[in-house]
Amino acid sequence: MDLGVFALHTVLFPGQGLEVTVFEDRYKHLLEDVLPEDPFAVVAIRRGQEVGGAYEPHVVGVRVLPEDYDLNDDATFRLEVRAIERIRLVRKLRDEPYAQWEVKRWPEEGAAGPEDVDRAVAAWKRFLDASELEAEAELPEDPALLSYSLAAVVPGMLLEHQALLEAPGPAERLGMLARAFR
């Protein structure tokens, strides 16, 4: 499939939502083409600037769907999206007026066992106790969704979050999370 690409200095995980203010012309053009309901891709920037100029994207990102948007008085957009699945960038099709890539869905490999889930959840709970934080919501039961929910809250920087997104499947991701929460 061919998707317009929105590049940010952040990693978005399937199931996660994001609200952004869109002011750059390239992304305004993208939104004019996809709103109100067509999907597009969100990828993290490997090198380059988020605003203006060229950038090199990470090849693994997410396909997102718009959930809500408004055109502000200053001609910017307030946009809310929800990530629905992982994708891999295959080939750049164009740069103007916004980047468009051929992408492929990147499904999860393998399954996580109960011991993978238990280890990650126990480490997460110890982390919460030690940091005196409170969980904001109940954890999903599905191991893949659980791994993405925990990945979205694990402390770290872009490269650590990107590595979690790129993990082949939930078992590997939950193992990485158990180590990260320690």
Side-chain angles (χ1 to χ4, degrees):
M1 79 184 98
D2 300 344
L3 293 177
V5 172
F6 198 115
L8 297 167
H9 279 300
T10 192
V11 175
L12 194 57
F13 296 97
Q16 188 180 13
L18 178 70
E19 183 174 335
V20 294
T21 299
V22 179
F23 56 88
E24 263 194 279
D25 286 340
R26 61 181 165 185
Y27 297 131
K28 287 182 186 180
H29 287 296
L30 170 63
L31 295 181
E32 288 168 0
D33 287 350
V34 301
L35 292 176
E37 60 191 30
D38 289 339
F40 58 98
V42 171
V43 297
I45 296 172
R46 180 185 297 274
R47 278 187 272 291
Q49 300 299 315
E50 189 172 85
V51 178
Y55 62 87
E56 178 187 336
H58 283 275
V59 296
V60 175
V62 291
R63 186 167 70 110
V64 301
L65 286 174
E67 288 194 323
D68 193 25
Y69 66 94
D70 293 308
L71 181 59
N72 298 321
D73 292 338
D74 62 358
T76 62
F77 282 93
R78 183 197 60 81
L79 174 69
E80 292 178 35
V81 298
R82 174 112 3 232
I84 55 174
E85 66 182 341
R86 290 191 308 176
I87 52 97
R88 181 181 286 278
L89 301 180
V90 176
R91 180 173 55 99
K92 187 183 259 188
L93 303 172
R94 69 172 196 214
D95 265 327
E96 299 296 330
Y98 54 85
Q100 186 170 15
W101 286 71
E102 175 187 344
V103 304
K104 290 193 176 185
R105 288 181 172 95
W106 196 30
E108 296 289 313
E109 294 178 12
E115 65 283 351
D116 299 314
V117 169
D118 292 345
R119 235 185 332 271
V121 170
W124 178 70
K125 287 180 178 177
R126 284 191 303 274
F127 169 77
L128 287 178
D129 289 343
S131 61
E132 298 180 6
L133 297 173
E134 290 188 32
E136 292 183 24
E138 283 191 36
L139 295 174
E141 290 186 25
D142 175 82
L145 293 177
L146 170 67
S147 72
Y148 288 131
S149 294
L150 291 178
V153 298
V154 70
M157 300 188 55
L158 187 136
L159 292 178
E160 289 87 359
H161 287 160
Q162 186 68 32
L164 287 164
L165 181 64
E166 293 180 9
E172 293 86 355
R173 190 172 303 106
L174 288 168
M176 293 167 70
L177 287 161
R179 289 187 296 280
F181 282 124
R182 281 191 213 123

